Amino acid sequence: MSPHRPVYYMGLAQLDSGVRVFWSAERGRGREEQPAAMASEEDVAVKEPLDLIRLSLDERIYVKLRSERELRGKLHAYDQHLNMILGDVEEIVTSVEIDDETYEEIVRTTKRTIPYLFVRGDGAILVSPPLRTV
């Protein structure tokens, strides 16, 4: 393991109230235990593609999936395979049908909201972080 590439663990905990909580932490220390010196320019630098995803933790992102599915939700955790846990997710499914009589395309969209969702990384085509101004 290279000291420059932290390993993140993802987990699921169930509280006494029955609420499930997703978490991620850097190997060997929790996020809040990091020294203040580390929370400098290094934390906002994008050196690898997954750094852009890391900077989007706890923010709303857009994910385009295979089979004409789109997701918008808050990124709670991810891993190197781009498996993601999203919260407060809006899913939009687009389907195109052809009318038998007129041969016109009929585009239908279906929307639903999901409290928490696990997204398998191999189904993701595009992940867009929130718009940032510098």
Side-chain angles (χ1 to χ4, degrees), residues 56-124:
S56 301
L57 278 171
D58 296 324
E59 295 189 34
R60 290 190 66 79
I61 63 169
Y62 169 79
V63 181
K64 184 172 175 92
L65 299 172
R66 295 181 187 175
S67 70
E68 302 299 324
R69 293 180 182 271
E70 301 174 16
L71 304 172
R72 284 185 178 82
K74 185 175 179 181
L75 180 64
H76 289 282
Y78 71 97
D79 65 8
Q80 72 272 14
H81 304 291
L82 215 54
N83 295 324
M84 294 173 277
I85 295 176
L86 301 177
D88 299 323
V89 181
E90 178 187 27
E91 178 188 38
I92 301 171
V93 180
T94 306
S95 62
V96 179
E97 299 173 2
I98 298 180
D99 188 295
D100 292 334
E101 295 175 5
T102 62
Y103 298 106
E104 292 181 3
E105 289 184 349
I106 301 169
V107 179
R108 295 193 176 146
T109 58
T110 306
K111 294 183 182 182
R112 69 177 177 160
T113 56
I114 306 165
Y116 280 100
L117 184 68
F118 176 86
V119 180
R120 187 174 161 143
D122 69 346

Side-chain angles (χ1 to χ4, degrees), residues 8-11 22-26 29-31 57 76-78:
Y8 286 92
Y9 292 103
M10 297 181 347
F22 295 98
W23 57 271
S24 68
E26 185 177 338
R29 66 169 62 150
R31 231 174 135 76
L57 278 171
H76 289 282
Y78 71 97

Side-chain angles (χ1 to χ4, degrees), residues 19-60:
V19 176
R20 293 181 180 175
V21 178
F22 295 98
W23 57 271
S24 68
E26 185 177 338
R27 179 178 167 200
R29 66 169 62 150
R31 231 174 135 76
E32 56 278 344
E33 296 174 353
Q34 292 180 355
M38 289 181 68
S40 61
E41 293 177 15
E42 239 179 74
D43 284 347
V44 294
V46 177
K47 297 177 184 172
E48 296 179 9
L50 285 179
D51 289 344
L52 194 59
I53 305 299
R54 177 183 50 84
L55 294 174
S56 301
L57 278 171
D58 296 324
E59 295 189 34
R60 290 190 66 79

